């Protein structure tokens, strides 16, 4: 019998007999999914039964009421009654009702736990906690460890997180997942710190402690003292003579390289102050050990030299030296040298020089296609050359085009000189020598633009490693007269780049003095540099002074420089920056609101914070100023830079906006966040913008496409070929807009950056946010207002190298395997010189009258020939016969030549048919692009193996399995750069002359 109505069961609820009401509830519980609409009319009766203390089946009544409210869509009411149903509600059930209620219970629990974390007076229903604990148990049974970690992090349950990790069969892998999730899922800075502290405890308690991941946590906690303690523990263990001694030393050296890549100058400075000193007399900055040298021999020579300077005998002093202490001091000396940065810089310079694949023909073609008298085009080619040769020390293009280079005037000359800093970035010991002809010199008057550009270039060479030039740049800024605002501009930018995040109060005060001079050009650079020097400090004093002056000055350039500088102060501060963000967001001045947007971008960079994303999306569609709206969309790229797959989905509608500024921001956000990924979803959004009717939107799309496709070839991503052809087409088209041409030239430079050996990455190889890259990209986006700031993009370039070092910091020769087809990650094919096609003669047109005249002439000649002697006739026949034979031979020759071409084609076809190998063998110091890392393996019998469990590229310490065997090493081939050839003195001005015409 099939029921068609629940009216009879509902009527039983009014019966006085308890058994009838229970029977009604039991049946309704089974049929409520079918008759919930009818039951809803009587839900008040069911509620009253659930609240009646004398009714023994209150829990059943609560369950029925919960299901009714579930079907009505009242999930909060449904959850409340479900909690009252006790054990009758099965949170682990597989039904739609059970799954929905469990998810709702989890959301409610997380909401209450977050409130309780901020306010201890908030209480959490124990029944909710019971459901969540049951979910943890279910996750443990099913082996869903990552799901359990997510619940623990979102509900801020450190006890549950620790329990999950300790019960997991693979705790090391799970801890890596927790470390990644702590930067994206956990959006409260205080709770994240507690999670990181717990991670440190768990990582060090593993059977084989993961020291590399531990250091990542400590860097995020800004705990330099703990890092120093860990390094000292590893160094002491390396001299203990235990089997793990060599591994401990290699781990300590690897930690030093990772710190140098991702930590700030301030953090490294505090770490160096805490670490023990190296050997007596050793340089503060260590050089890489040459291949043929031995550190032990050098140490012995040092000891011999020191012994000669004392009155005591050499033997007596030697007895007083503790060998263990000497070994420790040597290890600390190496670590200090690595942390100072010279070692990494020299290794990457060697890689970029050795593997340089810059295609100068592209630059030459672009230069010839553009009018060099146009300063915008001249600057564009300058930037493209700087990007293409970034860090390679190659200035060949400049030397080949001195006449073109000398045409640079004013700010184009400033940018051209500053480009030398991009080319020679990392030449810390040769920086002043390289730029000597351009740097300000006492008593010598040259172009202010060249001098200012040279000071900026010096800062770029020493970017984030400015210890050696800060005093010099500071002195030059001090000695520059107040009227020379161009030189002040360059010196301020140089100080900012070189002293990035150094928190140097003296430099800050000096820059503040330049700012208060109220010079528009110098003040803009000073405001920006103040933010760079105090990067991430959130200094209240600096904040108050900069904000106050921004509201007092009348110069828009100064306000803009200060707005970006204020944003830099709040780098990585997250919730701590919210008060300032609110203050700037409500300001009447659109430039300060613009600064507030960049404050959001830098404070929440890489966090994927929902609150920040919501704010940016709101501003992107509501602010009355186009610049602010554009900045809001660009800022999405910074906030989501560690989660690039989400960006195309979020900016999809913005990319279709009627406002061209919003469309420009959308493509640039895609370019910055999806850089180097070749993501098809991102390219599909950028592609329509390449044909946008607005020129600057096309410019942004051209730049963004280069960022996305950097380090990709045609085999890996077919869009590379069409993009490169599009650049050439736009540049050569005389009717194309200047803005679009500028974007195409920049795109050519970006897609082939660093000799085709670098990528753009806003995070380090260890997974931490790369401060220098983020700041470089943020300042680069200001090129919209000021072209010289384009050079800042070079700070985001990361070499795609795999460089292996042994314990003596030498570069051994070894091979490793890339289990992918060579063509998949090969360098792009070099451009070929266009060949001139031979023009064939076209047969002349013959008129009909002319043809008839020739035919009559031939007939007359034939008649005349018949009357000739027979001998002559025979001779003529012989000649014709020979001519026929020769023509036949020529025809045979042509046929043979054609056969040869056909054979060549067949040969090519057979070559194509040959199968490409499925792997390739690479040498140490080779290019390995990020997408290729997962294919890299070392042979089982390889002598050298990486100390890291996961190959992340970059500088990697290698374990030598057979140290007793003779090893071969790679010598450094980077040449000592000579001074640039562009040192010709500018021609003197013409002599005074009398104008020959009357007024």
């Amino acid at each position: 019998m099939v029921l068609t109505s629940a009216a009879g069961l509902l009527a039983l609820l009014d019966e006085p007999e308890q058994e009838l009401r229970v029977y009604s509830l039991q049946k309704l519980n089974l049929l409520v999914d079918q008759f919930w609409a009818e039951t809803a009319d009587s839900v008040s009766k069911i509620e009253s039964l659930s609240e009646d203390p004398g009714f023994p089946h209150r829990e059943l009544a609560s369950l029925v009421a919960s299901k009714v409210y579930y079907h009505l869509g009242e999930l909060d009411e449904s959850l409340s009654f479900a909690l009252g149903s006790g054990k009758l509600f099965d949170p682990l059930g597989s039904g739609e009702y059970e799954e929905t209620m469990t998810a709702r219970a989890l959301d409610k629990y997380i909401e209450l736990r977050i409130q309780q974390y901020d306010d201890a007076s908030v209480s959490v229903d124990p029944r909710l906690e019971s459901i969540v604990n049951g979910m943890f148990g279910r996750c443990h049974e099913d082996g869903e460890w990552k799901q359990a970690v997510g619940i623990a992090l979102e509900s801020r349950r450190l006890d549950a997180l620790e329990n999950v990790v300790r019960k997991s069969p693979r705790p090391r892998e799970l801890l890596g997942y927790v470390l990644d999730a702590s930067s994206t899922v956990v959006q409260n800075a205080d709770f994240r710190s507690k999670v990181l502290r717990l991670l440190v405890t768990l990582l060090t308690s593993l059977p084989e402690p993961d020291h590399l991941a531990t250091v990542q946590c400590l860097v995020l906690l800004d705990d330099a003292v703990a890092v120093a303690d860990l390094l000292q523990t590893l160094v002491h263990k390396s001299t203990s003579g235990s089997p793990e001694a060599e591994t401990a030393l290699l781990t300590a050296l690897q930690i030093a390289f990772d710190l140098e890549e991702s930590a700030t100058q301030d953090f490294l400075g505090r770490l160096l102050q805490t670490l023990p000193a190296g050997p007596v007399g050793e340089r503060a900055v260590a050089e890489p050990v040459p291949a043929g040298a031995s550190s032990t021999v050098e140490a012995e020579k040092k000891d011999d030299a020191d012994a000669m300077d004392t009155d005591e005998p050499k033997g007596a002093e030697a007895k007083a030296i503790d060998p263990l202490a000497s070994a420790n001091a040597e290890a600390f000396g190496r670590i200090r040298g690595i942390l100072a940065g010279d070692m990494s810089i020299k290794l990457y310079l060697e890689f970029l020089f050795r593997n340089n694949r810059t295609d100068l023909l592209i630059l030459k073609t672009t230069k010839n296609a553009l009018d060099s008298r146009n300063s915008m085009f001249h600057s564009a080619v300058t930037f493209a050359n700087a990007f293409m040769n970034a860090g390679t020390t190659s200035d060949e293009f400049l030397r080949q085009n001195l006449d073109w280079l000398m045409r640079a005037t004013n700010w184009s000359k400033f940018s051209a000189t500053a480009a030398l800093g991009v080319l020679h970035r990392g030449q810390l010991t040769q920086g002043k020598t390289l730029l000597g002809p351009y740097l300000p010199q006492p008593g010598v008057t040259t172009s202010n633009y060249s001098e200012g550009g040279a000071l900026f270039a010096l800062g770029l060479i020493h970017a984030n490693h400015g210890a050696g030039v800060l005093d010099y740049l500071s002195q030059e800024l001090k000695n520059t007269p107040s009227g020379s605002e161009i030189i002040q501009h360059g010196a301020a930018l140089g100080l900012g780049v070189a002293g990035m995040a150094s928190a140097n109060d003296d430099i800050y005060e000096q820059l503040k003095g330049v700012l208060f001079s109220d010079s528009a050009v110098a003040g803009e650079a000073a405001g920006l540099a103040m933010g760079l020097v105090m990067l991430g400090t959130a200094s209240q004093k600096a904040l108050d002074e900069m904000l106050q002056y921004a509201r007092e000055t009348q110069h828009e350039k100064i306000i803009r420089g200060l707005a970006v500088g204020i944003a830099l102060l709040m780098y990585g501060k997250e919730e701590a920056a919210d008060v300032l963000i609110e203050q700037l967001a409500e300001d009447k001045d659109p430039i300060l609101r613009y600064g507030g947007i960049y404050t959001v971008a830098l404070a929440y960079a890489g966090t994927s914070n929902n609150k920040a994303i919501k704010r940016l999306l709101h501003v992107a569609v509501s602010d009355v100023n186009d610049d602010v709206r554009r900045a809001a969309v660009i800022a999405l790229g910074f906030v989501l830079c560690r989660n690039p797959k989400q960006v195309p989905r979020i900016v999809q509608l913005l990319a279709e906006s009627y406002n061209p500024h919003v469309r420009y921001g959308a493509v640039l956000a895609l370019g910055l966040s999806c850089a180097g990924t070749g993501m098809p979803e991102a390219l599909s959004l950028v592609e329509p913008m390449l044909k946008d009717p607005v020129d600057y939107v096309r410019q942004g799309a051209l730049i963004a496409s280069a960022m996305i496709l950097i380090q990709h070839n045609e085999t890996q991503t077919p869009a590379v070929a069409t993009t490169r052809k599009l650049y050439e087409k736009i540049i050569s088209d005389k009717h194309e807009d200047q803005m679009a041409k500028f974007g195409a030239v920049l795109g050519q430079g970006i897609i082939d950056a660093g000799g085709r050996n670098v990528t753009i990455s806003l995070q380090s190889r260890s997974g931490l946010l790369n401060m220098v890259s983020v700041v470089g990209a943020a300042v680069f986006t200001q090129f919209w207002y000021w072209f010289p700031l384009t050079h800042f993009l070079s700070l985001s370039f990361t070499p795609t190298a795999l460089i292996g070092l042994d314990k003596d910091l030498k570069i051994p020769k070894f091979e490793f395997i890339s289990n992918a087809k060579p063509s998949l990650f090969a360098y792009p094919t070099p451009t070929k010189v266009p060949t001139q096609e031979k023009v064939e003669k076209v047969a002349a047109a013959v008129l009909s009258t002319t043809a008839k005249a020739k035919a009559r002439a031939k007939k007359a000649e034939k008649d005349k020939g018949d009357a000739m002697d027979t001998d002559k006739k025979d001779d003529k026949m012989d000649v014709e016969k020979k001519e026929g034979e020769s023509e036949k031979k020529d025809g045979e020759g042509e046929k043979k030549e054609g056969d040869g071409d056909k054979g060549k084609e067949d040969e090519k076809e057979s070559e194509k048919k040959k199968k490409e190998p499925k792997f390739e063998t690479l040498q140490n110091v080779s290019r390995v692009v990020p997408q290729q890392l997962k294919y890299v393996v070392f042979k089982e019998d390889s002598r050298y193996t990486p100390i890291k469990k996961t190959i992340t590229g970059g500088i990697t310490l290698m374990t030598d399995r057979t140290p007793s065997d003779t090893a071969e090493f790679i010598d450094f081939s980077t040449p000592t750069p000579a001074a640039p050839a562009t040192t010709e003195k500018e021609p003197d001005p013409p002599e005074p002359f009398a104008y020959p015409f009357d007024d």
Side-chain angles (χ1 to χ4, degrees):
M1 180 179 176
V2 178
L3 286 176
T4 58
S5 173
L9 294 173
L10 293 171
L12 294 176
L13 294 174
D14 296 327
E15 295 295 328
E17 287 82 1
Q18 186 170 287
E19 291 78 4
L20 292 176
R21 286 183 288 177
V22 172
Y23 175 80
S24 174
L25 290 172
Q26 289 174 343
K27 290 298 182 181
L28 285 173
N29 184 42
L30 298 174
L31 300 172
V32 70
D33 293 338
Q34 183 179 356
F35 299 110
W36 61 269
E38 281 186 81
T39 311
D41 293 335
S42 304
V43 70
S44 58
K45 299 175 183 178
I46 301 173
E47 284 186 43
S48 62
L49 290 175
S50 69
E51 296 170 358
D52 184 0
F55 186 64
H57 294 275
R58 294 172 58 195
E59 293 180 349
L60 178 60
S62 295
L63 183 60
V64 175
S66 173
K67 290 183 178 181
V68 173
Y69 279 115
Y70 162 72
H71 286 290
L72 290 171
E74 298 288 342
L75 296 184
D76 287 333
E77 288 289 333
S78 178
L79 176 61
S80 175
F81 282 105
L83 293 175
S85 63
K87 294 181 179 180
L88 294 179
F89 171 65
D90 180 14
L92 304 180
S94 57
E96 183 180 346
Y97 164 74
E98 287 81 2
E99 289 180 352
T100 304
M101 284 299 98
T102 302
R104 188 64 182 175
L106 180 59
D107 291 342
K108 188 67 175 178
Y109 179 74
I110 291 172
E111 180 185 340
L112 291 172
R113 284 286 303 174
I114 291 174
Q115 293 176 9
Q116 188 182 53
Y117 189 85
D118 298 328
D119 183 2
S121 62
V122 176
S123 60
V124 179
D125 193 329
R127 297 172 298 178
L128 274 177
E129 192 153 345
S130 175
I131 292 175
V132 173
N133 288 336
M135 294 178 66
F136 280 122
R138 178 69 175 271
C139 290
H140 294 173
E141 293 174 7
D142 297 344
E144 297 290 344
W145 305 104
K146 291 183 178 180
Q147 185 177 352
V149 165
I151 296 172
L153 288 175
E154 288 198 33
S155 60
R156 302 189 181 181
R157 288 277 302 274
L158 289 176
D159 58 328
L161 178 61
E162 183 175 1
N163 187 38
V164 169
V165 172
R166 294 194 184 280
K167 287 185 177 181
S168 170
R170 294 187 297 274
R172 181 184 294 270
E173 179 184 335
L174 192 61
L175 285 170
Y177 175 77
V178 175
L179 180 56
D180 291 338
S182 65
S183 301
T184 53
V185 176
V186 181
Q187 298 186 354
N188 181 277
D190 182 65
F191 180 68
R192 186 187 303 122
S193 298
K194 293 181 179 179
V195 172
L196 292 171
R197 286 292 176 194
L198 176 61
L199 279 175
V200 171
T201 304
L202 294 173
L203 287 166
T204 52
S205 64
L206 292 173
E208 294 182 12
D210 191 342
H211 297 302
L212 297 175
T214 301
V215 169
Q216 287 187 48
C217 297
L218 294 174
V219 170
L220 291 171
L221 290 166
D222 198 31
D223 193 346
V225 175
V227 174
D229 292 341
L230 177 58
L231 287 172
Q232 291 184 64
T233 302
L234 289 171
V235 169
H236 292 314
K237 188 175 181 180
S238 70
T239 56
S240 63
S242 64
E244 298 84 11
E246 183 178 346
T247 303
L249 177 60
L250 291 172
T251 304
L253 296 175
Q254 185 67 62
I255 287 171
F257 278 115
D258 290 350
L259 285 170
E260 191 279 329
E261 181 185 19
S262 56
T264 65
Q265 286 194 66
D266 180 55
F267 184 93
L268 294 176
R270 287 183 279 123
L271 178 59
L272 287 169
Q273 289 178 359
T274 311
L275 281 176
V280 178
E282 183 173 335
R283 290 179 64 235
V285 178
E287 294 281 345
V289 182
S294 168
S295 56
T296 308
V297 174
E298 294 297 327
E300 290 175 357
K301 288 181 180 178
K302 187 185 295 291
D303 291 341
D304 292 344
D306 291 343
M308 292 173 67
D309 295 335
T310 60
D311 296 332
E312 296 181 10
K314 177 184 171 185
E317 185 178 350
K319 289 180 182 178
I321 296 175
D322 182 3
L324 266 180
S326 178
N328 286 348
E330 184 180 351
F332 282 122
R334 290 183 185 176
I335 291 171
R336 295 178 72 88
I338 294 168
L339 293 175
D342 273 17
M343 174 72 79
S344 300
I345 288 171
K346 187 166 185 179
L347 290 170
Y348 284 132
L349 271 175
E350 173 67 19
F351 163 73
L352 292 172
F353 174 78
R354 183 183 291 266
N355 298 281
N356 186 9
R357 298 290 191 282
T358 301
D359 194 342
L360 292 180
L361 187 58
I362 294 176
L363 279 172
K364 182 180 177 182
T365 306
T366 299
K367 175 187 73 70
N368 293 335
L370 299 175
D371 183 4
S372 60
R373 292 170 297 179
N374 186 314
S375 63
M376 186 176 181
F377 291 156
H378 197 288
S379 296
V381 177
T382 298
F383 297 138
N385 173 58
F387 290 160
M388 282 190 184
N389 293 285
T392 63
T393 71
S394 173
D395 55 2
E396 184 179 351
F397 176 77
L398 299 179
R399 293 176 182 274
Q400 291 176 358
N401 298 278
L402 293 179
D403 292 339
W404 169 84
L405 188 61
M406 294 300 291
R407 292 176 190 169
T409 57
N410 300 334
W411 288 105
S412 292
K413 181 178 290 187
F414 180 94
S415 298
T417 312
L420 294 174
V422 180
L423 299 179
H424 297 286
R425 186 185 171 195
Q427 292 280 4
L428 303 186
T429 58
Q430 300 289 330
K432 290 183 184 177
T433 305
L434 285 163
L435 299 171
Y438 308 103
L439 291 170
Q441 298 175 6
V444 179
T445 304
T446 58
S447 169
N448 284 351
Y449 294 98
S450 291
E451 292 180 359
L455 293 171
F456 182 24
L458 191 61
L460 289 169
I461 289 175
H462 293 79
N464 203 35
H465 295 90
V469 293
L470 286 178
D471 291 340
Y472 171 78
L473 288 170
S474 177
Q475 190 62 37
E476 287 298 328
L477 182 60
K478 182 179 179 181
N479 295 338
T480 302
S482 58
S484 303
E485 60 180 6
I486 299 164
I487 300 178
Q488 287 181 325
H489 184 88
L493 288 178
L495 271 173
V497 179
M500 190 184 298
S502 62
N504 189 313
D505 286 328
D506 294 336
I507 294 176
Y508 170 81
E509 291 297 331
Q510 189 176 6
L511 290 168
K512 187 171 70 173
V514 176
L515 176 71
F516 287 170
S517 67
D518 208 39
S519 165
V521 174
E524 179 186 31
L528 182 60
M530 289 161 71
L532 287 169
V533 171
M534 305 301 286
L535 177 66
T537 61
S539 167
Q540 192 61 44
K541 172 178 174 291
L543 194 60
D544 292 341
E545 292 175 343
M546 294 170 73
L547 194 55
Q548 181 182 355
Y549 194 77
R551 286 173 172 156
E552 291 176 355
T553 185
Q554 298 299 313
H555 294 290
E556 284 192 8
K557 288 177 72 68
I558 295 179
I559 300 173
R560 185 168 290 111
L562 286 169
V564 179
I566 289 169
L568 292 169
L569 284 174
M570 288 298 177
Y571 173 83
K573 292 304 177 185
E574 299 183 34
E575 289 94 343
D578 284 348
V579 176
L580 175 64
I581 292 169
E582 290 289 347
Q583 185 180 356
L584 294 174
E586 296 172 0
D587 201 285
K588 293 181 180 179
D589 190 340
I591 300 178
L592 288 180
R593 294 204 305 275
Y594 178 91
I597 294 300
Y598 269 92
T599 305
V600 176
L602 294 174
Y604 289 95
T607 62
S608 302
N609 186 281
N610 291 331
K611 183 175 66 174
I613 294 171
K614 184 178 179 181
R615 176 187 290 275
L616 293 173
L617 289 172
H618 174 70
V619 173
V621 297
S622 64
D623 199 278
V624 296
N625 185 272
D626 285 336
D627 288 349
V628 179
R629 297 177 69 175
R630 183 182 69 249
V633 187
I634 293 174
L636 288 169
F638 289 98
V639 175
L640 292 163
C641 65
R642 298 181 69 181
N643 196 7
K645 291 183 180 179
Q646 298 295 327
V647 181
R649 180 178 60 84
I650 290 177
V651 304
Q652 183 175 5
L653 293 177
L654 295 172
E656 300 172 1
S657 170
Y658 73 93
N659 189 318
H661 289 268
V662 174
R663 298 201 298 274
Y664 176 92
V667 291
L668 217 56
L670 287 166
L672 291 168
S673 59
C674 303
T677 62
M679 193 182 297
E681 296 84 357
L683 290 172
S684 65
L685 289 177
V686 172
E687 186 180 358
M689 304 298 173
L690 296 170
K691 301 174 184 177
D692 197 275
V694 182
D695 53 359
Y696 57 79
V697 177
R698 295 200 300 277
Q699 179 194 87
L702 291 165
I703 294 171
S705 60
M707 290 179 171
I708 296 169
L709 294 172
I710 189 172
Q711 291 284 275
H712 284 254
N713 60 22
E714 299 175 18
T715 306
Q716 187 180 2
T717 310
V720 171
T722 55
T723 302
R724 288 181 181 275
K725 288 178 182 177
L726 181 63
Y727 292 154
E728 295 174 7
K729 179 184 175 184
I730 290 174
I731 292 169
S732 60
D733 187 354
K734 293 182 179 179
H735 303 289
E736 185 60 79
D737 293 313
Q738 290 188 14
M739 302 265 302
K741 286 189 176 185
F742 185 88
V745 178
L746 279 190
Q748 283 187 329
I750 293 169
I751 201 170
D752 288 334
R756 296 178 169 174
N757 289 300
V758 300
T759 188
I760 295 174
S761 178
L762 301 188
Q763 54 183 331
S764 66
R765 295 180 180 86
S766 57
L768 299 174
L769 205 62
N770 190 327
M771 179 196 71
V772 179
S773 293
V774 173
V775 171
V779 180
F780 161 74
T781 59
Q782 309 308 313
F783 84 91
W784 176 278
Y785 306 102
W786 194 236
F787 281 162
L789 299 181
T790 306
H791 287 308
F792 272 87
L793 184 63
S794 63
L795 302 183
S796 301
F797 292 162
T798 303
T800 52
L802 181 59
I803 305 173
L805 301 179
D806 67 1
K807 64 179 181 179
D808 294 323
L809 301 183
K810 299 176 185 177
I811 310 176
K813 290 184 179 180
F814 62 80
E815 296 178 344
F816 56 94
I817 305 297
S818 172
N819 282 323
K821 293 181 179 180
S823 62
L824 190 60
F825 301 110
Y827 285 101
T829 308
T831 308
K832 293 181 180 178
V833 180
T835 56
Q836 293 183 352
E837 296 182 1
K838 188 176 180 181
V839 181
E840 297 181 358
K841 288 186 177 180
V842 181
V846 180
L847 297 175
S848 59
T849 54
T850 307
K852 289 178 181 178
K854 285 184 178 180
R856 284 195 297 270
K858 282 184 180 179
K859 186 177 180 182
E861 190 177 348
K862 184 180 179 182
D863 293 341
K864 185 179 178 182
D866 290 343
M868 295 176 69
D869 296 334
T870 307
D871 294 337
K872 290 182 180 180
K873 187 176 180 181
D874 293 339
D875 291 342
K876 185 178 180 183
M877 290 172 66
D878 291 340
V879 171
E880 288 177 354
K881 184 178 180 182
K882 286 179 182 178
E883 287 177 355
E885 289 176 357
S886 65
E887 288 175 3
K888 185 178 180 181
K889 288 180 181 178
D890 291 342
E892 289 175 357
E894 290 173 10
K895 187 177 180 182
K896 287 180 181 178
E897 188 178 347
D899 291 344
D901 293 340
K902 188 177 179 182
K904 287 180 182 178
E905 289 176 6
D906 293 341
E907 216 173 291
K908 288 180 181 177
E909 289 295 327
S910 63
E911 285 179 7
K912 287 180 181 177
K913 289 179 181 177
K914 289 182 181 178
K915 288 187 178 180
E916 185 182 6
K918 294 184 179 180
F919 69 93
E920 64 177 324
T921 303
L922 300 173
Q923 306 291 330
N924 193 11
V925 195
S926 291
R927 183 186 84 145
V928 180
V929 300
Q931 292 80 6
Q932 190 178 5
L933 288 170
K934 59 185 177 184
Y935 298 103
V936 171
V937 294
F938 284 77
K939 296 179 181 178
E940 293 183 1
D941 59 347
S942 177
R943 174 174 177 176
Y944 293 95
T945 56
I947 191 70
K948 287 185 174 182
K949 302 292 183 184
T950 305
I951 298 173
T952 58
I955 300 171
T956 305
L957 273 296
M958 313 295 290
T959 302
D960 188 354
R961 292 180 174 177
T962 56
S964 57
D965 295 348
T966 304
E968 295 184 20
F969 299 99
I970 297 174
D971 292 321
F972 283 91
S973 57
T974 309
T976 302
T982 59
T983 59
E984 297 180 14
K985 185 179 178 182
E986 292 189 20
D988 295 328
E991 296 292 333
F993 64 95
Y995 200 64
F997 303 105
D998 296 333
D999 292 334

